[in-house]
Amino acid sequence: VQLVQSGVEVKTPGASVKVSCMASGYTFNPLLGICWVRQAPGQGLEWLGWSSGDNTKTYRAQSVQGRATLTTDTSTNTAYMELTSLTSDDTAVYFCGREFCDAARCFGPDYWGQGTLVTVSS
Amino acid sequence: QSVLTQPPSVSAAPGQKVSISCSGSTSNIGNNHVTWYRQLPGTVPKLLIYENDKRPSDIPDRFSGSKSGTSATLVITGLQTGDEADYYCGTWDTSLSAGVFGTGTKVTVL
């Protein structure tokens, strides 16, 4: 299993960013999707959301509700996270992770991407 | 502001044992599985424990996890210098319908 993320992003406040996560070594399915976790400089891990492997279901943390769009392209086994209205508080390393979720809950990522640094600065 | 509380740091000498606690509530740990991750400086988090007490095949049995009520514990025995890292617990929060991580614990090998 391998998850490969897109490269470093530098954005100005108010802009949007779209990070990709290409998965290989396993087959996407409805319950085995991709989650997104971020880590601000010197801080802990923050779970942001999850999109199902068939792109029919998502979960999102309240901290990014209304600003984060999580999608899955099943034809390319690639997941995307788009975050809008960026502020300096969104400066962080963004990780994708493979995560199993059933109808009631998710079970934590088991494999992780290498991380994408997103810097928001004027 | 994380809903799962961990001690900021723990330390012990090489070969000794450390325990890391993760305290939550009935909406998270009390009714969901707990995972544990290790993050070496500047690297990607790595899964250590899943479903409260299960180890992936590449994780040595020096690492063990347990859960009781609304708390979970990670125990590392035979501490090695390579174990110096940040450790995070994680679980699902049913009230939030979201995943949550603990505040993180830095392990120092004296």
Side-chain angles (χ1 to χ4, degrees):
Chain A
V1 175
Q2 195 172 17
L3 303 176
V4 179
Q5 300 183 222
S6 49
V8 173
E9 300 271 7
V10 179
K11 298 293 181 180
T12 54
S16 299
V17 68
K18 191 169 186 177
V19 181
S20 67
C21 174
M22 180 182 294
S24 60
Y26 75 101
T27 303
F28 273 24
N29 67 63
L31 301 182
L32 197 56
I34 296 291
C35 70
W36 294 89
V37 176
R38 72 181 175 185
Q39 187 169 36
Q43 303 300 307
L45 303 175
E46 180 186 9
W47 190 93
L48 299 179
W50 175 89
S51 60
S52 65
D54 63 356
N55 204 36
T56 60
K57 187 176 178 62
T58 58
Y59 292 110
R60 271 184 295 273
Q62 286 183 335
S63 62
V64 293
Q65 196 73 255
R67 292 199 301 132
T69 300
L70 308 179
T71 55
T72 304
D73 184 340
T74 56
S75 67
T76 60
N77 275 16
T78 302
Y80 299 90
M81 181 203 66
E82 183 173 24
L83 194 60
T84 62
S85 303
L86 293 169
T87 71
S88 57
D89 289 342
D90 294 313
T91 294
V93 175
Y94 287 75
F95 297 102
C96 65
R98 189 182 78 165
E99 185 169 23
F100 177 87
C101 300
D102 63 20
R105 62 182 57 83
C106 295
F107 290 78
D110 55 358
Y111 291 91
W112 296 66
Q114 83 275 20
T116 296
L117 175 62
V118 175
T119 301
V120 183
S121 174
S122 55
Chain B
Q1 191 91 9
S2 177
V3 300
L4 303 180
T5 302
Q6 299 179 231
S9 63
V10 297
S11 60
Q16 298 300 303
K17 178 179 82 171
V18 294
S19 297
I20 302 171
S21 60
C22 176
S23 178
S25 68
T26 54
S27 69
N28 43 66
I29 291 178
N31 284 285
N32 295 287
H33 292 301
V34 176
T35 54
W36 287 93
Y37 301 91
R38 177 173 72 179
Q39 187 177 32
L40 298 169
T43 69
V44 177
K46 181 176 177 59
L47 180 66
L48 292 178
I49 299 290
Y50 66 99
E51 292 182 12
N52 305 324
D53 56 8
K54 296 180 173 61
R55 282 179 291 108
S57 58
D58 63 334
I59 301 301
D61 59 6
R62 300 189 299 109
F63 296 88
S64 63
S66 63
K67 188 183 96 167
S68 178
T70 59
S71 293
T73 302
L74 175 71
V75 174
I76 310 173
T77 59
L79 202 61
Q80 302 174 359
T81 55
D83 294 328
E84 284 204 335
D86 294 321
Y87 292 78
Y88 295 91
C89 59
T91 189
W92 184 254
D93 191 294
T94 306
S95 296
L96 299 174
S97 289
V100 289
F101 288 102
T103 48
T105 298
K106 183 175 182 59
V107 169
T108 301
V109 181
L110 300 173

